[in-house]
Amino acid sequence: MLDYTLEDTIIAASTPPGYGGIGIIRLSGKDALKIAKRLFKPKRARARILPRQALFGNLIDLEKNEAFDEAYLLYFPAPHSYTRENVVEISCHGSPVVEGEVLRLGILAGARHARPGEFTLRAYLNGRLDIIRAEAVDNLIRAASIKTAKMAFSQLDGNLSKKISGLRARNIDLLSQIEASLEFPDEKLQITPEKIAGSLEKTIEYLDDLVSSYRAGKALLEGVTLAIMGRTNVGKSTLFNTILEEERAIVTPFPGTTRDYLKEKIKIKDTFFNLVDMAGLGKPSSAIEKEGIRRGKKIASEADGLLIMLDASRKENSEDLALIEEFPDKKALLVFNKIDLARKMDVRGIKKRFHRLSALEISALKGTNLSKLKEKLFEVFSPKFEDREEVIFHQRQKLLLEEALGHFRKGLKLLLDGHPEEFCAEEIRKTIPIIGQLTGDIRVDEVIEKIFSRFCVGK
Ligand SMILES: Nc1nc2c(ncn2[C@@H]2O[C@H](COP(=O)(O)OP(=O)(O)OP(=O)(O)O)[C@@H](O)[C@H]2O)c(=O)[nH]1
Ligand SMILES: [Mg+2]
């Protein structure tokens, strides 16, 4: 369970574990400075610790009066700190032993080791960040590309939060106008149904766009999942290995080599792809193959995109064609493999027949057209969002937005169907607490706990 008490002073390493030039230990809470002083002594005996000014000193085990490193100390008095509490940062050498000793002495002096995300949790509880911005901190840290980092930073900077708060304010205003005109029907300042509808339509359009941006957000954060699909022996594992530039999957001349699936991350330009190699889809000859095929189909159906691989050195059959048509709604790329061998497949005919799909001829074994393939993967599968200002990264946000959207839609429909305006107002009213949960103005403890437990310790 998360601890919501803000009484303790917490301590943790904010830099990742391991060896490095420097390592930063952070303290937050009312006793942060008092505790830091128990293990840090300025080099100049009478030097004073001033807010936000780095001070050079030694780290000392006072019990034995032995120094074990030198360090800089930075003090951020409340409320001008990350957590809005007193914060002290100690920058020592990035040694696990030294950092461990600072933590040990800090805890001995009265601090408690922080839980994952507890610094940011305190920032939220103390009103420095709302939940959308706190979630953006984690996205920024984990961003797989600079593009993602910039989008996360924009949210951390408060751009999405501002828009959501604006939306909430506009709807409260709309609600009060509807209520006023219901209460004082004779007064002049009546809001017309047309105006209400206009306002709702704008809100719906905005939320709809935001909800649909989740696909791109998820792909940016987690990578685009691409399944290499094809019949046995067409060269799926060979291509998987060639793209990864390592002998990751077993390749043999025998059909049915790959049984389970393998998943690896690759980066093309600034997009991450989760490439999945799997069992060949076709008629299984054993129970293991059957299970492999079942898993393969599940992966294919959940993937963001498919690389449908065909062996161009063999004549196509009905199984090949059925595979191409198996997932008609998925983004897919047709890959004709083994072009180093004599061609038996009617490549032109198949391309023509499935002209809606991009296609490419390669040799996975020789690496022919490999760079063209990567280019195509990026072109076909990387998320397109250049014209988007805002992308949402979290399912939590998407689900709440969808819930609010549902009420706005229902409200609009009631209005357009000619029902009394109270009914519409009721739907708008239901969105207020939902939007409150989105920003964290309304606190749902289990949700908060889930969000922060994902964080790394020290953040
Ligand atoms: N000549 C040629 N042979 C290839 C090419 N790609 C793969 N092969 C060969 O085809 C055979 C099967 O390759 P795999 O990569 O194991 O095929 P797979 O689709 O993973 O097969 P399963 O795991 O059994 O479904 C091996 O002998 C590979 O060396 C290619 O581009 N050209
Ligand atoms: Mg294989």
Side-chain angles (χ1 to χ4, degrees):
M1 258 312 277
L2 271 181
D3 191 348
Y4 289 115
T5 66
L6 300 169
E7 293 305 307
D8 308 353
T9 296
I10 53 171
I11 188 167
S14 286
T15 40
Y19 308 112
I22 55 169
I24 298 177
I25 312 289
R26 185 158 54 167
L27 287 137
S28 178
K30 57 182 185 329
D31 294 331
L33 192 60
K34 198 172 101 193
I35 293 169
K37 279 181 177 168
R38 297 279 293 277
L39 51 102
F40 176 91
K41 292 288 159 233
K43 295 264 188 191
R44 284 188 297 116
R46 281 199 296 280
R48 285 184 41 227
I49 296 171
L50 297 171
R52 293 173 297 281
Q53 282 191 29
L55 182 64
F56 197 35
N58 282 340
L59 296 175
I60 292 181
D61 179 349
L62 275 184
E63 272 174 34
K64 298 180 187 137
N65 202 25
E66 285 168 357
F68 56 92
D69 195 5
E70 50 193 17
Y72 277 99
L73 182 144
L74 257 171
Y75 173 44
F76 303 90
H80 304 292
S81 71
Y82 183 65
T83 56
R84 284 207 171 151
E85 300 173 336
N86 288 335
V87 168
V88 171
E89 283 180 13
I90 295 170
S91 306
C92 54
H93 285 105
S95 143
V97 173
V98 170
E99 289 176 37
E101 185 66 356
V102 175
L103 291 175
R104 188 183 74 83
L105 294 173
I107 291 166
L108 212 62
R112 168 172 67 72
H113 199 282
R115 299 189 181 91
E118 203 171 355
F119 288 92
T120 308
L121 172 67
R122 288 186 172 202
Y124 160 64
L125 292 175
N126 289 321
R128 166 133 168 7
L129 294 173
D130 65 17
I131 286 291
I132 292 179
R133 294 176 63 192
E135 282 175 317
V137 172
D138 196 45
N139 299 342
L140 178 62
I141 292 172
R142 294 179 202 273
S145 69
I146 192 65
K147 189 152 60 181
T148 316
K150 283 176 184 168
M151 288 192 152
F153 179 68
S154 159
Q155 292 186 6
L156 172 58
D157 215 21
N159 287 324
L160 180 57
S161 302
K162 263 183 234 146
K163 285 185 189 154
I164 299 292
S165 307
L167 183 80
R168 183 169 183 268
R170 266 206 315 281
N171 282 296
I172 290 177
D173 185 47
L174 180 65
L175 209 51
S176 64
Q177 285 190 60
I178 300 173
E179 279 161 359
S181 59
L182 289 172
E183 222 168 305
F184 312 105
D186 302 331
E187 304 256 325
K188 256 202 169 151
L189 282 169
Q190 282 217 29
I191 184 163
T192 60
E194 290 72 32
K195 261 192 140 169
I196 304 172
S199 173
L200 286 176
E201 274 160 7
K202 244 175 79 186
T203 300
I204 290 168
E205 192 185 333
Y206 173 67
L207 289 182
D208 214 17
D209 187 57
L210 214 50
V211 167
S212 61
S213 76
Y214 174 64
R215 254 187 99 79
K218 186 167 176 277
L220 278 174
L221 213 60
E222 295 169 15
V224 180
T225 300
L226 294 184
I228 310 178
M229 189 175 102
R231 292 169 55 210
T232 50
N233 225 37
V234 293
K236 299 179 295 298
S237 300
T238 307
L239 178 66
F240 185 68
N241 289 343
T242 305
I243 293 179
L244 293 178
E245 295 175 25
E246 66 170 302
E247 296 303 310
R248 177 73 181 81
I250 299 174
V251 168
T252 76
F254 309 107
T257 305
T258 309
R259 264 59 184 296
D260 215 337
Y261 65 91
L262 297 168
K263 196 181 209 174
E264 290 292 336
K265 238 186 179 70
I266 53 159
K267 190 176 182 185
I268 302 176
K269 297 183 186 172
D270 55 8
T271 304
F272 275 94
F273 293 92
N274 303 307
L275 200 60
V276 190
D277 178 27
M278 55 194 207
L281 304 182
K283 290 200 177 60
S285 56
S286 70
I288 307 178
E289 268 191 67
K290 196 172 167 198
E291 176 58 17
I293 291 170
R294 193 192 65 78
R295 289 182 182 203
K297 289 211 167 164
K298 183 161 182 285
I299 289 165
S301 69
E302 289 168 0
D304 299 308
L306 302 174
L307 266 73
I308 304 175
M309 193 180 239
L310 302 163
D311 180 349
S313 72
R314 302 178 68 155
K315 185 133 187 53
E316 69 273 15
N317 67 14
S318 57
E319 261 184 59
D320 288 311
L321 303 178
L323 266 186
I324 305 176
E325 287 173 322
E326 182 140 8
F327 299 100
D329 301 329
K330 289 245 174 238
K331 275 193 198 170
L333 175 67
L334 278 181
V335 181
F336 296 93
N337 191 31
K338 307 197 187 181
I339 56 161
D340 54 302
L341 301 176
R343 177 176 304 191
K344 299 251 175 62
M345 188 170 272
D346 176 17
V347 172
R348 267 182 65 187
I350 295 178
K351 276 189 188 170
K352 212 165 145 195
R353 181 161 166 191
F354 299 99
H355 57 88
R356 70 168 182 98
L357 299 176
S358 293
L360 195 68
E361 292 158 47
I362 65 160
S363 165
L365 188 69
K366 310 269 186 221
T368 315
N369 281 347
L370 184 66
S371 43
K372 267 197 196 147
L373 176 70
K374 287 186 179 170
E375 200 64 50
K376 269 260 189 285
L377 292 184
F378 183 81
E379 188 187 303
V380 177
F381 301 110
S382 75
K384 312 282 179 293
F385 54 89
E386 269 75 9
D387 48 350
R388 277 190 193 290
E389 256 182 68
E390 212 74 69
V391 163
I392 54 165
F393 291 107
H394 296 278
Q395 198 185 26
R396 180 193 81 88
Q397 299 172 350
K398 175 183 168 253
L399 293 177
L400 287 170
L401 289 169
E402 274 174 344
E403 203 182 333
L405 192 55
H407 290 299
F408 284 124
R409 284 216 172 101
K410 193 167 166 201
L412 180 64
K413 184 164 187 313
L414 287 168
L415 194 72
L416 297 180
D417 288 351
H419 291 282
E421 281 142 38
E422 287 108 291
F423 289 22
C424 172
E426 192 47 40
E427 292 303 320
I428 300 174
R429 204 171 293 117
K430 285 181 191 158
T431 68
I432 310 281
I434 299 169
I435 296 173
Q437 281 184 53
L438 195 64
T439 54
D441 289 341
I442 293 175
R443 206 172 87 189
V444 181
D445 284 2
E446 305 88 82
V447 176
I448 304 288
E449 184 176 345
K450 217 166 126 200
I451 293 172
F452 288 98
S453 60
R454 264 205 318 258
F455 275 51
C456 34
V457 182
K459 190 69 231 176

